Amino acid sequence: MLQVLIPLTVDALANAAIIFFVAVGLTLVFSVLRVLNVAHGSFYSIGAYAAASLGLWVVSAGLPEWLTFPALVLSAAFVAAIFGPFVEHLLIRWTYGKSEALQILVTFGLFLILEDLQRIVFGVNSLYEDTPMRLLGSTMIGGIVYLNYQLLLIALAILTLVGLKLMISHTRMGKLIAAVVADREISQALGINTNRIFMLAFTLGVFLAALGGALATPTTGVSPGLGADTMVLAFAVAAIGGLGRIEGAAVAAIIVALARVLAIYYAPELDAVAPYLVMLVVLLVRPYGLFHTDTTRRI
Amino acid sequence: MDGLKKYLGLAALGLSMFGSALAYAQEKPASLGIGVFSFTSGATAAYGMPGRNAAELMIEQINAAGGIGGVPLKATYVDEGQGTEGVIADFRKLAGDAENQVMIAALSSGNCMALAPLVDQLKIPTVGWNCDTHQLFASEAHPYYFRPNGNTVPEFMAYALYMLSVKPDAKRIAIINPDYAFGHDAANIFKAALKAFKPDAEIVAELFPKLGAATFQTEISRLTAARPDVIFSNLWGGDLENFVRQAAPRGLFSMSQAVLALGESSLQNVQIPEGVIVGVLGDGWWNSPDAAANEETQKFAAAYKEKFGSYPVFPSMKMANSFLFIKKAYETALEKNGGKWPSRDEVAEAMKGSVVETFTGTTTVREDNDGVVDQIIGTTVKVEGFDFPVLGNMVRYSGEALMPPVGEDPIEWIGKLPADFPASLPQPGSYK
């Protein structure tokens, strides 16, 4: 029993880690801006392309290989700094308070533009940069060899979850975000610069998506179409957890990952649909997601 | 009177233009338009680009030698990465242009299946340069569709036979193939061959990740947990390279005997370890003993290396051989026409039943338009002169021996083969 349980758990957590980064960014943006950002997956793939490109440059320039680790985070920060304020200010801001249909159409348009932009900038062929994965080696768990990099991803996802919760509850910025989420008008009346909060929250969401993409690159190739696949999965996770719920995104990521892992182990033909079957069941029972309540704070 | 003159003048001009058009139709065209379909974007481009590159080089070389019958080739390249709907639309558009006389389409089995009814409808000779699924000609005849590169039945029977020769005691078999026609067909044929020649073999895991999956980490855990003696896979392109990159550091290839059916196409891109069974889905290895002895093949390989910086892989050779197939068909049709430029119908007629010497062997077109080619399989080995593993311990199975008769269900045919069938075939190491 333990022989099966251990690999199932490790695989589910490793899978959940990457999904979590994207889903938590999506849910954060929704909770603060009240915008369902369809283009969120594009930031994941741009982060992945940026990290792979920077990593390849570090290696080709003959720099120490350990620099490929900070390169992952730096790429995500770079993507967030470039796209976050720019996209929020020029595009997303005009959809605040508008209908959901309009918001979805605008962000879908942005998604299409960003997908083409990636093809123009990074080309149409796959990029591979696996130095961080190679440097960390592997570990045997329950009779199965796992990459230490996979374990690092689990640790980073937990750190990010804890960090976000601490940021929301213990920092001035977090409290301002919470206030805006709780009541936008009253926050404005109290003198909070809500536009600045929106921009910061959106940029943080972009950073989390780009970080997910960047952290995924050492174990996978980066090619066109990556963003769309990730986006659909992130939506499922955010919906299961309850849009706007950070801890919901974490638990939902684990549930979805576990569903996928169980499918691969015991019913491979259900692999592709497993996350959506889970979403269907959850939404039938709890239409606003597992962690939604009418009274709790929405972040 | 002036009006009548003007009318007669216009009529004369119209008649002369019509006459010119008729004369033009009987003369050689300024160029021979060819639509070339392959994956040139996305993860699958790792497999498709070498095919496209080979097309470019073949056109250059054929044109430098005077073209076909004195007519230069002119290609329009179509990216199959756009999806099947786009491929169908582009095919229809290209076939509708009279300048395009022949198509090389497609790489993907799924796209070939989707194009087949269109090929019948538009009556344009089309060469399936890479699509392998045996289903293409299984239930319907496609008089204008030709597949000189062979099909999944001999291809994957060959792997089962080779594997059983080098690992006769293997009992626990795992399969990981892409989740579409090509992956499922290959799994069914491989399993049918195991059932026929190694009935005590057990399938301990059978996984079909979607084409273009970014990560295979859970699949790798599942395969490891199954403790298979042999892992068979026909993943290809970026999927194969991702799988190898992720599986090798997790010890999958040292734990089990891997059979990577399309492995040769990735040997120069990713570090496939020594001892892995790989092949070329046909006879298209540029450096097989037969190809090494062929001066034209070596010239092509050298030019390819010079132009693209790497050796041609088997998709390159399949594409190059497709051009040789088309060239031969035109030469036959021209000869039959007494030098008059052939119509599409006449080219298709010339392709029927043709036997063509290619860069890597011979392809024989059967009455169902499927090609019969030999199958080369080997095991990766490092040799001097190459900084990547190449094929060693090779065998070359006769294509005819592994091809079910026309119209016969392949799975039933494999099941009816005698138990001593593998012993009647050449053994690994015999092709050198």
Side-chain angles (χ1 to χ4, degrees):
Chain A
M1 182 65 186
L2 209 61
Q3 271 188 327
V4 177
L5 204 62
I6 291 173
L8 276 178
T9 310
V10 178
D11 279 320
L13 289 176
N15 262 292
I18 290 290
I19 306 171
F20 167 73
F21 285 108
V22 195
V24 79
L26 182 72
T27 214
L28 177 78
V29 169
F30 181 79
S31 67
V32 180
L33 281 68
R34 293 280 146 200
V35 171
L36 195 56
N37 180 16
V38 179
H40 193 71
S42 297
F43 299 124
Y44 172 89
S45 51
I46 293 171
Y49 270 118
S53 305
L54 187 59
L56 287 169
W57 178 80
V58 167
V59 173
S60 65
L63 296 171
E65 288 193 326
W66 64 264
L67 282 175
T68 52
F69 286 99
L72 298 174
V73 182
L74 273 177
S75 324
F78 178 74
V79 170
I82 295 288
F83 285 94
F86 180 73
V87 170
E88 193 278 335
H89 191 75
L90 280 187
L91 210 63
I92 306 293
R93 184 164 293 185
W94 304 103
T95 69
Y96 295 153
K98 301 283 193 316
S99 72
E100 287 85 357
L102 182 80
Q103 291 175 342
I104 287 173
L105 280 174
V106 167
T107 54
F108 182 63
L110 176 65
F111 165 76
L112 295 176
I113 292 167
L114 291 176
E115 287 297 297
D116 275 348
L117 192 68
Q118 288 168 65
R119 287 170 194 265
I120 293 166
V121 175
F122 298 106
V124 292
N125 294 320
S126 300
L127 294 181
Y128 299 97
E129 211 305 284
D130 59 359
T131 309
M133 180 190 82
R134 283 192 294 102
L135 288 178
L136 286 183
S138 57
T139 300
M140 179 88 82
I141 303 173
I144 295 175
V145 177
Y146 285 94
L147 301 170
N148 288 334
Y149 186 81
Q150 289 177 283
L151 307 179
L152 175 71
L153 286 181
I154 298 171
L156 286 176
I158 294 169
L159 275 176
T160 304
L161 173 63
V162 174
L164 279 172
K165 290 303 286 181
L166 286 176
M167 190 271 286
I168 298 290
S169 55
H170 285 81
T171 66
R172 184 171 180 274
M173 179 53 61
K175 285 174 182 169
L176 290 176
I177 289 176
V180 172
V181 170
D183 198 307
R184 197 176 287 190
E185 284 77 22
I186 289 180
S187 301
Q188 276 176 325
L190 289 172
I192 296 173
N193 184 347
T194 50
N195 279 343
R196 187 164 162 268
I197 298 297
F198 290 159
M199 186 183 283
L200 286 171
F202 187 79
T203 305
L204 182 58
V206 172
F207 172 73
L208 288 166
L211 184 63
L215 292 174
T217 50
T219 58
T220 186
V222 187
S223 49
L226 192 63
D229 290 348
T230 312
M231 188 60 219
V232 176
L233 206 55
F235 263 124
V237 168
I240 291 169
L243 272 165
R245 310 293 310 178
I246 288 173
E247 64 275 36
V251 174
I254 294 172
I255 292 171
V256 162
L258 190 60
R260 277 207 65 217
V261 170
L262 282 169
I264 289 171
Y265 272 68
Y266 297 111
E269 60 278 12
L270 295 179
D271 167 25
V273 294
Y276 310 108
L277 284 177
V278 171
M279 184 178 79
L280 187 70
V281 171
V282 168
L283 295 186
L284 279 174
V285 181
R286 290 184 65 86
Y288 295 100
L290 288 175
F291 280 71
H292 176 84
T293 63
D294 291 332
T295 51
T296 54
R297 204 168 75 177
R298 293 196 303 267
I299 190 164
Chain B
M1 190 64 188
D2 279 354
L4 183 63
K5 274 184 182 169
K6 194 175 173 185
Y7 173 76
L8 287 172
L10 282 171
L13 181 66
L15 279 172
S16 66
M17 284 173 71
F18 181 62
S20 305
L22 277 179
Y24 178 78
Q26 292 167 3
E27 287 168 3
K28 286 178 180 175
S31 62
L32 167 55
I34 302 181
V36 179
F37 290 62
S38 185
F39 282 90
T40 53
S41 67
T44 42
Y47 184 96
M49 274 310 288
R52 189 207 181 280
N53 290 344
E56 201 180 307
L57 181 59
M58 283 301 286
I59 290 170
E60 263 180 39
Q61 292 190 341
I62 292 171
N63 286 349
I68 296 178
V71 177
L73 273 55
K74 188 177 156 193
T76 304
Y77 296 99
V78 177
D79 179 13
E80 291 183 59
Q82 65 180 306
T84 303
E85 278 182 28
V87 165
I88 289 173
D90 280 345
F91 188 94
R92 190 180 283 281
K93 194 174 85 182
L94 289 175
D97 183 345
E99 277 193 16
N100 296 314
Q101 292 296 299
V102 64
M103 296 289 198
I104 299 184
L107 185 160
S108 152
S109 289
N111 285 343
C112 288
M113 293 293 285
L115 288 175
L118 205 60
V119 172
D120 297 344
Q121 184 194 342
L122 300 172
K123 294 185 171 37
I124 182 162
T126 302
V127 177
W129 73 274
N130 181 83
C131 55
D132 294 297
T133 180
H134 61 270
Q135 293 178 41
L136 184 61
F137 297 112
S139 54
E140 265 184 272
H142 301 294
Y144 290 83
Y145 216 151
F146 298 86
R147 180 171 48 189
N149 104 91
N151 77 37
T152 36
V153 181
E155 287 167 1
F156 295 109
M157 264 188 79
Y159 283 101
L161 291 161
Y162 185 97
M163 184 275 286
L164 290 173
S165 295
V166 295
K167 296 281 283 185
D169 299 328
K171 281 191 178 166
R172 295 174 63 80
I173 314 294
I175 295 173
I176 176 164
N177 287 357
D179 191 11
Y180 74 111
F182 181 57
H184 286 271
D185 285 351
N188 288 336
I189 292 156
F190 193 78
K191 284 190 292 183
L194 286 179
K195 195 174 164 192
F197 310 127
K198 180 80 177 167
D200 60 340
E202 180 193 359
I203 304 298
V204 292
E206 195 172 3
L207 307 175
F208 293 99
K210 74 166 192 166
L211 183 67
T215 177
F216 297 95
Q217 297 293 358
T218 308
E219 283 84 354
I220 291 164
S221 298
R222 174 70 186 96
L223 291 172
T224 310
R227 307 279 168 212
D229 299 320
V230 171
I231 298 167
F232 168 76
S233 177
N234 75 337
L235 292 172
W236 57 279
D239 285 11
L240 173 62
E241 292 175 14
N242 267 335
F243 178 70
V244 171
R245 280 190 175 91
Q246 293 166 24
R250 295 183 64 183
L252 201 63
F253 299 132
S254 50
M255 181 191 79
S256 306
Q257 170 66 59
V259 182
L260 302 178
L262 284 79
E264 191 270 341
S265 62
S266 292
L267 287 174
Q268 296 172 72
N269 299 343
V270 67
Q271 289 184 338
I272 294 179
E274 283 190 270
V276 172
I277 297 171
V278 298
V280 291
L281 300 188
D283 61 7
W285 188 36
W286 70 274
N287 206 24
S288 74
D290 284 297
N294 185 329
E295 201 182 323
E296 291 302 311
T297 312
Q298 294 312 300
K299 269 191 206 164
F300 172 78
Y304 189 100
K305 177 89 164 62
E306 169 84 21
K307 189 173 171 72
F308 302 110
S310 59
Y311 291 101
V313 287
F314 78 84
S316 319
M317 301 314 296
K318 278 176 184 274
M319 180 63 86
N321 288 342
S322 296
F323 272 88
L324 294 178
F325 178 78
I326 289 170
K327 187 167 179 275
K328 174 77 185 292
Y330 265 92
E331 284 166 355
T332 306
L334 278 163
E335 195 182 328
K336 201 173 165 190
N337 266 3
K340 200 176 84 178
W341 190 252
S343 66
R344 287 177 176 183
D345 280 351
E346 286 163 343
V347 173
E349 194 54 40
M351 287 177 175
K352 283 185 201 303
S354 60
V355 179
V356 180
E357 293 302 319
T358 65
F359 279 148
T360 50
T362 305
T363 182
T364 307
V365 175
R366 306 194 308 183
E367 62 263 41
D368 60 354
N369 288 356
D370 221 347
V372 181
V373 289
D374 291 348
Q375 300 294 324
I376 297 175
I377 315 263
T379 304
T380 51
V381 61
K382 283 188 178 157
V383 298
E384 217 171 288
F386 296 100
D387 57 1
F388 55 91
V390 295
L391 274 69
N393 197 31
M394 277 183 288
V395 67
R396 183 174 185 129
Y397 297 119
S398 144
E400 206 171 346
L402 305 184
M403 194 81 160
V406 175
E408 193 154 340
D409 180 86
I411 303 297
E412 280 178 21
W413 175 75
I414 294 169
K416 285 190 285 191
L417 290 170
D420 62 353
F421 177 75
S424 69
L425 298 170
Q427 294 303 302
S430 61
Y431 185 49
K432 47 193 168 190

